[in-house]
Amino acid sequence: MDVYIEVSLDRGAEECGRTTERWFTCGLDMFFSGLLRSRTDWHAAINREESSPAERFDGKRRGLEDFMEGVRAGSYYGHFGFSEEDCRLGYIETSSALMEGMSTLNTVGLPATPSDFSDPGFCSGIVEFLLTALNGANPAFGRVEIGQFTERTNLDVALRRKVTKSMPNGRGTLRGYAWVTIVPQELLERLGGWAELESGDAFFKVFPLPGGGGILQASETISGYTDAAMWRIFKTLAPVLPTGEPEYHAAYPENRFVPHDAREFI
């Protein structure tokens, strides 16, 4: 089972390009440096524009440098992944395909074991990655969850919302909640500010981002994100969550959410 790390940025924002570059450099250094040093196969591709053909890069040092140069120049889509025979070993990705260039969605797929989920060092490393990669940014949203995920959040699924509806409104309504939830500055202020959240009992730790917004960590470890912990953060975040009665979706049996309308707790 994988750890899924996601953050959405405003594509037109000045810091978007620099943040995306750090997303790749920090991700490769903090999560995949061992694979880069080994003989593990890696594959990478960039589409500079929506209609441009994919540029592919080989698994050599020069190929990595060329790929990162393409990331720095800006890209519509970029993917850097590792594999061994038929087994995927993780990836880093950026895409502007969802919202016709309005938003950039950066993701990491990080292989992990159940013991990793209970390891404070492994879990704190994920948060440290986010703090480093997002330094200077005010993300529109972000999350860290377990499993194979798409761009639809837990609440997108439970409320039957399309990403094309939830993502453009990300600074007005929080798109979801998870073990780690990244809240934009606009919603953080409506929740009373990071100091108010830090003084409460809903989160293990709250990290303000220098560029605005904050990283909210529900529990020390991923395995500590119990139903009780999920309830605590749901009630705390209810004032900025979308309203509506969430429902189980048969196509997403592992989707986790509190089965109540957020307006009940405002």
Side-chain angles (χ1 to χ4, degrees):
M1 185 176 289
D2 294 339
V3 174
Y4 177 79
I5 309 171
E6 172 192 297
V7 64
S8 55
L9 307 166
D10 298 326
R11 185 161 173 75
E14 182 179 350
E15 73 275 4
C16 181
R18 293 193 297 269
T19 301
T20 297
E21 180 183 354
R22 284 197 303 272
W23 189 261
F24 279 91
T25 57
C26 294
L28 289 172
D29 179 58
M30 300 177 75
F31 297 138
F32 300 115
S33 58
L35 292 178
L36 278 175
R37 289 194 300 268
S38 71
R39 295 186 177 182
T40 303
D41 291 335
W42 62 260
H43 44 89
I46 281 179
N47 294 76
R48 296 182 186 270
E49 304 291 342
E50 181 178 4
S51 58
S52 65
E55 301 174 40
R56 303 190 184 280
F57 305 86
D58 60 30
K60 298 177 182 178
R61 184 66 194 179
R62 182 58 192 170
L64 174 58
E65 293 172 357
D66 289 343
F67 173 81
M68 288 308 304
E69 182 179 341
V71 171
R72 281 191 291 272
S75 59
Y76 180 77
Y77 172 81
H79 175 91
F80 197 107
F82 296 88
S83 62
E84 194 169 64
E85 296 180 349
D86 293 330
C87 181
R88 293 183 65 185
L89 302 179
Y91 67 87
I92 307 176
E93 194 167 271
T94 183
S95 176
S96 299
L98 293 172
M99 294 306 303
E100 299 180 353
M102 291 173 58
S103 300
T104 291
L105 190 72
N106 291 344
T107 59
V108 173
L110 184 63
T113 65
S115 61
D116 290 327
F117 302 151
S118 301
D119 181 356
F122 175 85
C123 296
S124 64
I126 295 173
V127 177
E128 184 61 33
F129 160 71
L130 289 170
L131 287 169
T132 305
L134 300 178
N135 184 22
N138 175 21
F141 178 70
R143 58 182 169 138
V144 179
E145 304 200 60
I146 298 175
Q148 297 288 349
F149 283 85
T150 68
E151 64 277 1
R152 297 181 71 187
T153 69
N154 52 0
L155 285 185
D156 283 339
V157 170
L159 295 174
R160 308 301 195 268
R161 293 189 307 169
K162 295 182 179 180
V163 178
T164 51
K165 179 179 179 181
S166 68
M167 190 174 286
N169 299 319
R171 294 191 180 277
T173 304
L174 191 64
R175 297 184 58 223
Y177 48 88
W179 171 61
V180 167
T181 307
I182 300 175
V183 181
Q185 181 65 29
E186 295 86 342
L187 299 185
L188 193 63
E189 292 173 358
R190 285 170 51 190
L191 292 168
W194 69 267
E196 177 72 19
L197 295 178
E198 187 178 46
S199 65
D201 62 357
F203 299 99
F204 171 69
K205 282 187 178 180
V206 175
F207 302 90
L209 290 170
I215 298 174
L216 314 180
Q217 184 179 353
S219 55
E220 182 178 16
T221 63
I222 296 172
S223 61
Y225 184 51
T226 61
D227 287 348
M230 183 169 60
W231 264 97
R232 288 197 301 271
I233 68 168
F234 169 77
K235 288 189 288 187
T236 300
L237 298 177
V240 297
L241 289 174
T243 58
E245 196 73 35
E247 298 178 353
Y248 170 79
H249 196 310
Y252 299 84
E254 298 182 358
N255 189 40
R256 295 184 65 195
F257 60 92
V258 172
H260 285 273
D261 190 330
R263 78 183 76 194
E264 298 176 24
F265 299 89
I266 298 176

